[in-house]
Amino acid sequence: MHRLIERGLMFGNLFRVDSPPLVARYNRALQALTGKQTALAEFHIDISGFSPEIGEELGDPAYLNPRGVNRQFILLSTNQVSAPLLDATFSHSRTILRQFIMENKAALFTLTAKDAVAGELLNSVHSADTPARLFNIRRITVEADTTAGTIEASDKLGAMIDDFTARADGWYDDVLIAKMIDLAKDTGDVTRNPVRLKHMTFETPDFWTALFGGLYVFRSVDHPAVIAMGDVDALGELPVSPVIGLQARGDIATFFKLNDLVEPVAQSKSPQVADILRRKMDFMVADIASKLGGDLAQTSPRQMRQLARQHADALPEAWHTLAALVRWAEDGAPWPRITSDDAGYFYTLRARPGRHADLVNMLLSELAPLDARQLFICHKQAFYAAYATWPDAKREFVVEMLSKEYLADKVGTRDALFGAMPHVPQTPPPLSKRRGPWG
């Protein structure tokens, strides 16, 4: 994995914690959430405050996510908003954290100037010991406060002020006045400088989870279904049906079609479409060449064509499917009829614009795993797991391609692959305030 880290393809954009005040704030929050502390003087954290270095130190990579269903978080800075979420258990977690930070940016900036903000993505399920229990997760509430309880204290002081001003004999209540003065020492003047966090709740009908071998849950579509990456029989009875296994390609294709979730990558005849298809083909060539001892040191289009000719007999069926599409896009050949039985079928699709787009593209990346670029962009955990099994030559080829093409122009690459469209979060807008402050 060192090659990925060095090229900025793994642990990129993590927030660096390297000053004694920040470490002390982190430890106070960590103690409050887990009862543990770190002895490290320097480490990196993701958007949730999880640190891979601290996970290694504690021997617990899930120290902020102990049961996988109620992720805790520690915020030291609003700059964490651009960090990734490492080892996510649910696809919606980073989207929710990011929206919470953006919606409360001013308040969080003020609060984190003096203290850490700690909290939890809370739902009604505290342990997903069976697959069926996952389906009780329908909404996530973000609860947060500083380790000193600033928000809770501000709410209490505000209520006291309201009580004081509403009562004709307020000036004679020495106990109330003393309590307000005591709280104001910590909160400041909440009437002039109110600091509030929007305690946001999100509906989560559709999600991916890493639990139970990997599940894609679609409940808000016209024809609900669960797509299982692991053993379907081991899941038992689920409240959503059908449950479709990874090998049931025809059923997955039907699910996509019934809910109008996908569209062809090849929207028109153009060199740009041909380039996208060729790059998918190049990753397939690299996979075969790395296994058969081919030279992947040179990656020009001409050299990739030479490798394809050299290993023509071993190329997968999906390569030939995409080659037929390239001939249509560039040479005026007839449109090839590609059905779900074809090994290249899912390589020819992308998500249709809409609120399910990110989740569908994530699923498609697992259905078309030889396209390493799409796998990296849409499903990093699956990419890292696959990367660990590849020959070294393929690792170097993929890293080189991602460094030159994707990291150099992330927005342009995404627009080319998935269509230029405004990003639509997987989670809908938050519901109104329903819960009190964390702590």
Side-chain angles (χ1 to χ4, degrees):
M1 298 295 182
H2 292 289
R3 186 185 284 116
L4 292 172
I5 297 171
E6 290 170 359
R7 298 291 190 92
L9 295 168
M10 189 176 188
F11 299 152
N13 291 330
L14 293 181
F15 181 78
R16 185 183 181 91
V17 181
D18 57 1
S19 70
L22 287 181
V23 173
R25 292 172 198 170
Y26 187 91
N27 265 330
R28 288 198 299 272
L30 188 59
Q31 177 70 36
L33 291 175
T34 68
K36 303 174 183 178
Q37 289 196 342
T38 177
L40 300 178
E42 180 181 306
F43 49 89
H44 299 79
I45 58 176
D46 68 5
I47 190 173
S48 74
F50 167 76
S51 168
E53 296 102 322
I54 294 176
E56 184 175 350
E57 176 197 21
L58 299 177
D60 182 9
Y63 70 91
L64 284 183
N65 195 24
R67 292 186 178 271
V69 291
N70 289 276
R71 178 176 282 273
Q72 298 169 310
F73 61 88
I74 299 172
L75 299 179
L76 297 179
S77 168
T78 54
N79 290 332
Q80 286 173 239
V81 72
S82 61
L85 179 63
L86 303 179
D87 296 324
T89 308
F90 289 90
S91 56
H92 50 238
S93 297
R94 185 177 185 271
T95 302
I96 291 174
L97 280 169
R98 180 177 172 82
Q99 190 164 342
F100 173 74
I101 295 173
M102 295 300 294
E103 290 286 335
N104 293 281
K105 193 170 185 179
L108 288 171
F109 183 84
T110 300
L111 293 169
T112 55
K114 295 182 179 181
D115 199 357
V117 172
E120 186 174 353
L121 303 186
L122 187 65
N123 65 74
S124 60
V125 176
H126 300 290
S127 176
D129 52 355
T130 65
R133 285 198 175 183
L134 289 174
F135 295 81
N136 293 329
I137 300 175
R138 293 190 171 274
R139 56 176 59 117
I140 305 292
T141 298
V142 185
E143 294 193 352
D145 200 346
T146 65
T147 56
T150 303
I151 299 300
E152 185 177 16
S154 295
D155 289 343
K156 287 182 179 178
L157 180 55
M160 289 180 184
I161 292 172
D162 292 341
D163 183 34
F164 176 80
T165 55
R167 289 166 48 186
D169 62 343
W171 284 105
Y172 301 101
D173 191 336
D174 293 336
V175 174
L176 178 60
I177 293 173
K179 288 181 178 178
M180 288 194 298
I181 292 172
D182 189 52
L183 277 176
K185 292 177 182 178
D186 296 324
T187 66
D189 187 348
V190 297
T191 60
R192 292 188 178 183
N193 301 295
V195 178
R196 296 285 188 275
L197 291 177
K198 299 177 183 178
H199 299 287
M200 303 159 69
T201 299
F202 298 82
E203 295 280 4
T204 56
D206 312 301
F207 58 84
W208 164 86
T209 177
L211 301 173
F212 305 106
L215 300 174
Y216 290 83
V217 177
F218 293 88
R219 290 184 290 193
S220 68
V221 294
D222 292 337
H223 302 274
V226 176
I227 314 297
M229 297 296 104
D231 184 1
V232 173
D233 294 333
L235 297 175
E237 186 175 352
L238 300 181
V240 173
S241 62
V243 180
I244 306 172
L246 183 62
Q247 304 306 318
R249 298 171 60 85
D251 292 341
I252 296 175
T254 300
F255 165 76
F256 283 152
K257 184 176 182 180
L258 287 173
N259 293 293
D260 197 25
L261 293 175
V262 295
E263 64 185 18
V265 171
Q267 294 284 316
S268 61
K269 295 183 178 181
S270 69
Q272 290 75 22
V273 167
D275 287 343
I276 291 172
L277 297 172
R278 280 203 179 91
R279 183 55 75 214
K280 293 175 183 283
M281 295 163 65
D282 287 345
F283 285 120
M284 296 177 188
V285 171
D287 180 69
I288 292 299
S290 66
K291 294 174 181 176
L292 300 180
D295 182 10
L296 289 170
Q298 304 297 325
T299 58
S300 70
R302 180 177 62 83
Q303 287 151 337
M304 294 308 296
R305 290 195 297 271
Q306 289 178 344
L307 278 175
R309 287 192 290 269
Q310 181 182 346
H311 301 289
D313 293 340
L315 290 175
E317 181 186 342
W319 186 94
H320 296 285
T321 299
L322 296 183
L325 267 181
V326 170
R327 290 192 291 272
W328 168 82
E330 282 194 331
D331 301 332
W335 172 264
R337 186 176 181 273
I338 305 170
T339 67
S340 59
D341 293 330
D342 193 304
Y345 177 74
F346 292 114
Y347 289 91
T348 70
L349 301 176
R350 68 185 184 193
R352 191 176 294 279
R355 60 184 298 266
H356 299 98
D358 289 347
L359 192 60
V360 171
N361 279 326
M362 190 177 187
L363 173 54
L364 284 171
S365 71
E366 291 208 69
L367 295 169
L370 292 178
D371 186 352
R373 179 170 60 177
Q374 179 162 326
L375 192 63
F376 177 80
I377 294 173
C378 300
H379 198 339
K380 286 185 173 55
Q381 284 174 243
F383 174 87
Y384 296 140
Y387 180 91
T389 68
W390 294 342
D392 195 65
K394 180 177 177 179
R395 293 177 184 175
E396 180 59 33
F397 175 85
V398 171
V399 167
E400 184 68 19
M401 289 297 99
L402 292 176
S403 299
K404 288 197 310 185
E405 297 179 0
Y406 177 62
L407 293 186
D409 184 12
K410 292 183 180 181
V411 175
T413 301
R414 286 174 176 272
D415 286 350
L417 291 175
F418 310 119
M421 57 183 177
H423 176 72
V424 181
Q426 291 179 20
T427 51
L431 301 176
S432 59
K433 177 180 177 182
R434 293 176 184 247
R435 300 294 297 268
W438 172 83

